[in-house]
């Protein structure tokens, strides 16, 4: 089912939590809402579910405007961050609850619960109670309770945030597999950019109640529209350094110089332009000997993380973070030589944050 937000605004008192949001979620798509706490992600879900009402604008499910309709007639299922399981009910009863509440035939309930439990590997847990389950099992019960309803839309509000790192990765892959198998429209809320990149066919990045940019994960990563998007996506975070136009067609940052793209040469940028350069850690090269395109920096911190090593450096008071493939024999306090992949560098207007190159 297609979900559309048409110029939706939501206020709590004088504060506008959502500001004129227009968004189209295609039928069968998994769209991720990504952004910092307080940007309006959960409020958008609650508007779709009917738990909140919009102050203006329309919310459309399929071909129906659902503003004012009660949650019970919207045919959506919501998975919450805190699981929201009934502690006095068994796993079977928790999964079956939405069907029991609707008066579904007992035989049909047993069949549908068994199917959902099999999909999520819960067959051996059906007679247990939530307190007897691990965090991952409790999360799968919450997913099964949503799954058993066969809704037109799934709404997931940071469902993995209470799990440890290893279990979060495993459950994330289960959610992706289920969504692909079922083909049900899913709106997934998270503030974890890694989750967003792996789960969403598209990501909508929210900032202060408005959509900053929407697109495919790699599109947003490689071509962010603003400095905010560039800094929000990527771990470690993108390096942002002051830059200046040194010649009509060159910029300089930290002593590194490269030619501007043709569309941003003299006619667009001048020596008085206020710009910053953004370079992702994986686009920085570290060497032990100088080269014509490198500058000297000091090693500050070396962090091995398995296949890669994160190296933090300093040059003229500026911080440089690089992702070095494999093991790194660099030692804190020692000088090294740093170069950047110039064709991967991004330029942003220092005042507006808009990408200009």
């Amino acid at each position: 089912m297609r979900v559309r937000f048409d110029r939706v605004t939501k206020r709590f008192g004088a504060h506008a939590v959502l500001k004129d949001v227009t968004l189209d979620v295609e039928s069968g798509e998994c769209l991720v809402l990504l952004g910092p706490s307080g940007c309006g992600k959960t409020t958008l879900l609650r508007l779709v579910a009917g738990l909140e009402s919009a102050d203006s604008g329309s919310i459309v499910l399929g071909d129906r405007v659902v503003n004012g309709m009660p949650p019970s007639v919207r045919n959506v299922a919501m998975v919450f961050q805190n699981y929201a399981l009934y502690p006095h009910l068994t796993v079977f009863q928790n999964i079956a609850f939405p069907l029991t509440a609707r008066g579904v035939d007992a035989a049909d309930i047993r069949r549908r619960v068994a199917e959902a439990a099999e999909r999520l590997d819960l067959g051996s847990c059906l007679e247990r109670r939530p307190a007897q389950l691990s965090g991952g099992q409790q999360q799968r019960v919450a997913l099964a309770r949503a799954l058993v309803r066969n809704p037109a839309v799934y709404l997931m509000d940071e469902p993995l945030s209470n799990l440890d790192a290893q279990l979060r990765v495993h459950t994330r892959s289960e959610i992706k597999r289920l969504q692909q198998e079922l083909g049900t429209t899913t709106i997934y809320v998270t503030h974890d950019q890694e989750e967003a990149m792996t789960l969403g066919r598209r990501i909508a990045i929210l900032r202060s109640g408005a959509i900053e940019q929407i697109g495919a994960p790699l599109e947003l990563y490689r071509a962010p529209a603003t400095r905010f998007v560039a800094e929000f996506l990527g771990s470690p975070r993108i390096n942002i350094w002051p830059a200046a136009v040194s010649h009509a067609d060159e910029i300089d940052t930290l002593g590194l110089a490269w030619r501007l793209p043709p569309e941003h040469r003299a006619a667009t940028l001048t020596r008085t332009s206020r710009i910053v350069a953004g370079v992702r850690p994986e686009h920085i090269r570290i060497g032990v000997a100088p080269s014509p395109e490198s500058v000297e920096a000091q090693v500050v911190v070396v962090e091995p993380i398995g296949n890669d090593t994160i190296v933090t450096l300093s040059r003229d008071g500026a911080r440089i973070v690089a992702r070095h493939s494999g093991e790194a024999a660099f030692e804190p306090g020692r000088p090294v030589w740093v170069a950047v992949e110039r064709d991967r560098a991004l330029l942003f207007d220092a005042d507006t944050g808009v990408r200009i190159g």
Side-chain angles (χ1 to χ4, degrees):
M1 178 182 286
R2 185 183 181 194
V3 180
R4 287 189 293 124
F5 301 88
D6 185 12
R7 305 191 67 177
V8 170
T9 295
K10 174 64 180 176
R11 296 183 179 85
F12 291 112
H15 177 57
V17 180
L18 295 172
K19 305 168 186 174
D20 204 30
V21 171
T22 295
L23 178 62
D24 197 339
V25 186
E26 299 172 10
S27 180
E29 176 181 17
C30 180
L31 180 125
V32 176
L33 300 176
L34 176 67
S37 297
C39 69
K41 307 183 299 293
T42 295
T43 301
L44 271 175
L45 285 196
R46 292 175 65 85
L47 289 173
V48 178
L51 303 177
E52 302 284 355
S53 57
D55 290 299
S56 62
S58 301
I59 300 162
V60 184
L61 300 182
D63 56 2
R64 294 189 305 166
V65 176
V66 296
N67 297 52
M69 289 187 178
S72 58
V73 301
R74 297 193 182 199
N75 195 23
V76 302
M78 193 162 180
V79 180
F80 298 92
Q81 177 180 346
N82 62 358
Y83 314 149
L85 302 179
Y86 297 103
H88 62 290
L89 300 182
T90 65
V91 168
F92 180 95
Q93 291 167 329
N94 267 283
I95 297 172
F97 186 83
L99 303 179
T100 305
R102 286 169 172 75
V104 176
D105 178 75
D108 195 22
I109 289 176
R110 286 193 297 272
R111 177 184 61 79
R112 290 164 70 172
V113 169
E115 289 175 354
E118 182 180 359
R119 279 185 178 275
L120 289 161
D121 195 25
L122 291 169
S124 62
C125 305
L126 291 176
E127 297 308 316
R128 298 184 197 173
R129 285 182 166 74
Q132 299 171 302
L133 304 177
S134 68
Q137 288 171 324
Q138 290 184 48
Q139 184 60 77
R140 292 205 302 274
V141 173
L143 288 169
R145 184 178 55 191
L147 183 65
V148 79
R149 290 182 53 190
N150 296 325
V153 179
Y154 288 115
L155 307 173
M156 299 194 180
D157 189 10
E158 302 199 45
L160 308 183
S161 60
N162 291 332
L163 304 181
D164 62 57
Q166 187 173 358
L167 191 54
R168 188 160 57 243
V169 171
H170 175 71
T171 309
R172 184 177 73 201
S173 66
E174 287 188 336
I175 290 175
K176 185 164 187 174
R177 174 182 60 83
L178 278 173
Q179 199 281 326
Q180 290 173 341
E181 287 181 1
L182 298 171
T184 304
T185 305
T186 302
I187 306 177
Y188 189 104
V189 159
T190 184
H191 63 270
D192 184 317
Q193 54 96 13
E194 185 175 306
E195 245 175 60
M197 294 282 286
T198 55
L199 281 173
R201 190 174 73 78
R202 289 188 303 156
I203 300 172
I205 297 184
L206 274 72
R207 181 186 187 189
S208 302
I211 294 177
E212 187 87 353
Q213 188 177 0
I214 183 168
L218 288 180
E219 173 191 339
L220 299 186
Y221 187 78
R222 293 169 178 166
T226 65
R227 174 177 171 175
F228 176 84
V229 174
E231 290 187 298
F232 205 84
L233 288 177
S235 180
R237 178 181 285 197
I238 191 172
N239 295 280
I240 299 290
W241 305 316
V245 180
S246 57
H247 300 289
D249 59 355
E250 262 189 16
I251 66 162
D252 180 279
T253 180
L254 303 186
L256 296 161
W258 62 87
R259 294 174 70 84
L260 287 165
E263 64 271 23
H264 296 299
R265 292 182 185 170
T268 307
L269 296 176
T270 68
R271 295 189 186 189
T272 60
S273 298
R274 285 174 40 80
I275 58 175
V276 294
V279 180
R280 296 205 179 274
E282 62 268 29
H283 299 149
I284 295 174
R285 298 290 172 258
I286 307 174
V288 295
S291 70
E293 296 184 340
S294 66
V295 295
E296 187 176 356
Q298 300 293 318
V299 177
V300 178
V301 178
V302 179
E303 302 172 86
I305 56 172
N307 290 334
D308 294 338
T309 300
I310 305 303
V311 185
T312 302
L313 310 110
S314 176
R315 174 175 168 78
D316 298 334
R319 183 171 180 265
I320 303 171
V321 179
R323 181 184 287 271
H324 185 83
S325 59
E327 297 182 6
F330 310 120
E331 296 182 15
R334 295 291 183 88
V336 291
W337 295 85
V338 175
V340 303
E341 296 179 17
R342 290 167 166 78
D343 59 333
R344 301 292 189 92
L346 303 170
L347 298 178
F348 302 94
D349 185 294
D351 298 314
T352 65
V354 174
R355 184 167 65 90
I356 55 178

